Each structure stands twice: as C-alpha cells, then as structure tokens.
Amino acid sequence: MTPDASPPDVTVIIPHYAQVEALDACLASLEAQSLPAEQFEIVVVDNNSPGGLEPVRAVVRERARLLVETAQGAGPARNRGVAEARGRVLAFIDADCVASPAWLEEGLRGLERFDIVGGRVDVSVADEARMSGAEAFERVFAFDFRSYIEDKGFTGSGNLFCRREVFEHVGGFRPAVSEDMDWSHRATALGYSLGYHEPAAIAHPARADWSQLARKWSRLNRESLKLSEGKRLGRLKWLARNWLLPASIVPHAARVVTSRKLPDARTRLRALATLVRIRLWRFAD
C-alpha cells in the first residue's frame, strides 16, 4: 500500500506457529474472497516458529504482511496483529483454517446487527470414509459456535469479527486463560452485543488422533482453571463441572447416535468410544 492509499476496510489477522502448509491453504482461501482485494489486508504474525522465519516468508510472499511476536501464545500474536492493523474492522482466523469465499463479506454483514460476530465452523477430516475416533468425536462436538455464542456467551477467536474501536475498548487477549471466552465476556460486560452469523463460515481440521485430542483438552483444562481463579466460588464451580463429566457421557452419546455428520455405524462406534475415553480422561486430569 502506498502512503497516499486509503486504509482498507478490514484487517485479517492470522497467528501462526509451525503450520506453513496449512497457512498456505488459509492464504489461498483469502485470495479467493468475494470481497474485493483492495478492501482488505492480511497480517500474519509468526509466533517463534521453530523452523525460523524463512519458510513462513516463502509461503506468505506478497499475499500478506509478516510480523513476529516473541511472546508465546496465540493471544499475544493476535494482539500484535491488532497493533499493526490499518483496517476499521478486525477479522480473526487461525492459520490452519480455510475461509469460505464469502467469509469476509458475511462477517461485515453480521456487524450490521452486532458489535461482535462469530460464524459457522465446519470440521474437516482427512478422509470422510475413514475417520479416526478423534475425528469422528470432533465432527460431532467441536467448534459449535452457535452454542458457544447463544448458550455460553462467547465466540471462538478463530472466527471473530469486531470493529477496531470495540477491540481497543475491551483490551487485548489475555495469555494463559481461555482467551476467547475471557475476551468475549469482558466485551459483553461492557455492553457490546455478540451475535452468531452462520454464513460467515470457515473450515477447521479435526484433531487427527488421540494424542492431539488429549493435548487440546489438557490445554483447555488448564486455561479454564486459570479463568475461574479470582471469581467468586470459581474454583469450586470448576471442580463441580469436572465431577459431572462422567455423567455427561450418556446424554452426549445420544448426539453421536443421531448425528448426521457421521457416515455409518462403525464411525459412530469410534466416536462413542472416544467420547467415553475423553470424558473419563478429563475427569482424571
């Protein structure tokens, strides 16, 4: 952009850590947006990828501005992106996600009704006919942004739209907690409206196997515990929710059995086995 050019309407912010192939696909999906290219910019913030910056630079090329954030964590990387953003609207997406062609246009449309917007997240898998138990479980339960927004009052930071002034008033993402839940709750406490706009859709890959799924939930357990600290009876409520995890298996098993997102009985059995295993593992963890 030349010094005399008008600032873009939207800045897309992508935190990145050691996912160059996925980042390439993410950037390709942004190149294919229905919103004219001159109306948005892309900022990729590398978070100390162990392979160094050169492989990232080779993928980014001229498609985005590449920044570096040395403080570890997606939250600090997103905050750095905001600090360098030129758009009046901020659009957050993760490096391993693929945006639908109308993602940006629909996000802007959602902001006509709400101050903060989250959209649909489809769970993608490597092979529809041969899902692992982890993939089948995530296909049913992961990234239910409608429920996050309408039932729990937050939107995931991997598909989030807001105006820049809203973000600046709320403040940045905090590290070491469930950053999207924390940020959304701080925003709504200030009176900002949060809404679900389904057509602002992206695809996020499922965790491929048990080890990936366990690492995800180990992180989420730590972050949710940290978020509960400082709240009235926060740790007690956190413990109570975790004690109820085994009891949640039965009602959630019904979701697996009736889900249209799984192709056959064998895949449902894999999902059920993973449901039991992850709920008992989280209870013990």
Side-chain angles (χ1 to χ4, degrees), residues 217-273:
W217 281 105
S218 179
R219 172 179 59 81
L220 291 176
N221 283 350
R222 291 194 306 271
E223 291 176 351
S224 64
L225 176 60
K226 183 72 174 178
L227 189 60
S228 73
E229 294 174 352
K231 296 182 179 179
R232 185 174 181 272
L233 302 177
R235 183 177 286 266
L236 184 61
K237 291 177 181 178
W238 183 87
L239 287 170
R241 283 194 298 270
N242 280 274
W243 274 97
L244 291 173
L245 281 170
S248 71
I249 293 172
V250 173
H252 285 146
R255 287 182 59 184
V256 174
V257 172
T258 60
S259 176
R260 297 182 178 180
K261 298 177 180 180
L262 303 178
D264 51 43
R266 181 175 297 180
T267 307
R268 286 184 172 83
L269 286 173
R270 292 192 189 112
L272 285 169

Side-chain angles (χ1 to χ4, degrees), residues 5-279:
S6 300
D9 293 331
V10 184
T11 298
V12 181
I13 297 170
I14 310 172
H16 172 264
Y17 181 79
Q19 294 176 301
V20 288
E21 290 184 7
L23 176 62
D24 190 24
C26 180
L27 290 171
S29 73
L30 294 173
E31 287 183 298
Q33 290 295 294
S34 57
L35 189 71
E38 64 270 16
Q39 293 184 29
F40 68 96
E41 65 171 356
I42 306 169
V43 175
V44 175
V45 186
D46 188 73
N47 202 201
N48 294 318
S49 292
L53 205 57
E54 285 311 310
V56 186
R57 187 176 285 116
V59 165
V60 171
R61 302 192 299 276
E62 302 301 319
R63 297 186 287 183
R65 281 192 287 148
L66 178 59
L67 308 173
V68 175
E69 175 53 57
T70 57
Q72 208 63 37
R78 291 188 179 96
N79 293 341
R80 175 65 192 282
V82 173
E84 300 290 339
R86 295 181 290 211
R88 62 180 180 84
V89 169
L90 306 174
F92 297 93
I93 188 172
D94 287 342
D96 57 353
C97 293
V98 172
S100 62
W103 178 62
L104 286 174
E105 274 197 305
E106 290 296 344
L108 292 175
R109 189 166 289 117
L111 287 178
E112 295 173 4
R113 298 176 56 209
F114 306 104
D115 298 315
I116 304 159
V117 168
R120 188 179 80 246
V121 178
D122 298 318
V123 180
S124 59
V125 297
D127 186 341
E128 291 280 341
R130 297 184 178 182
M131 292 188 210
S132 68
E135 288 175 323
F137 173 84
E138 290 231 308
R139 174 59 69 87
V140 177
F141 294 106
F143 310 117
D144 185 354
F145 272 43
R146 180 188 293 274
S147 176
Y148 295 169
I149 291 168
E150 296 179 354
D151 301 330
K152 300 177 182 178
F154 79 97
T155 185
S157 47
N159 188 0
L160 187 159
F161 291 82
C162 69
R163 294 175 183 83
R164 185 188 182 107
E165 63 265 24
V166 171
F167 188 91
E168 291 176 346
H169 187 202
V170 176
F173 295 105
R174 293 198 301 146
V177 299
S178 297
E179 62 179 46
D180 40 17
M181 183 180 295
D182 172 69
W183 190 88
S184 296
H185 288 173
R186 284 191 281 131
T188 53
L190 290 171
Y192 292 114
S193 60
L194 168 65
Y196 179 69
H197 186 66
E198 184 169 347
I202 64 171
H204 190 297
R207 269 63 181 184
D209 53 35
W210 170 256
S211 63
Q212 292 182 15
L213 192 63
R215 284 198 300 272
K216 168 188 173 178
W217 281 105
S218 179
R219 172 179 59 81
L220 291 176
N221 283 350
R222 291 194 306 271
E223 291 176 351
S224 64
L225 176 60
K226 183 72 174 178
L227 189 60
S228 73
E229 294 174 352
K231 296 182 179 179
R232 185 174 181 272
L233 302 177
R235 183 177 286 266
L236 184 61
K237 291 177 181 178
W238 183 87
L239 287 170
R241 283 194 298 270
N242 280 274
W243 274 97
L244 291 173
L245 281 170
S248 71
I249 293 172
V250 173
H252 285 146
R255 287 182 59 184
V256 174
V257 172
T258 60
S259 176
R260 297 182 178 180
K261 298 177 180 180
L262 303 178
D264 51 43
R266 181 175 297 180
T267 307
R268 286 184 172 83
L269 286 173
R270 292 192 189 112
L272 285 169
T274 303
L275 167 65
V276 173
R277 187 179 182 187
I278 196 66
R279 294 294 162 83

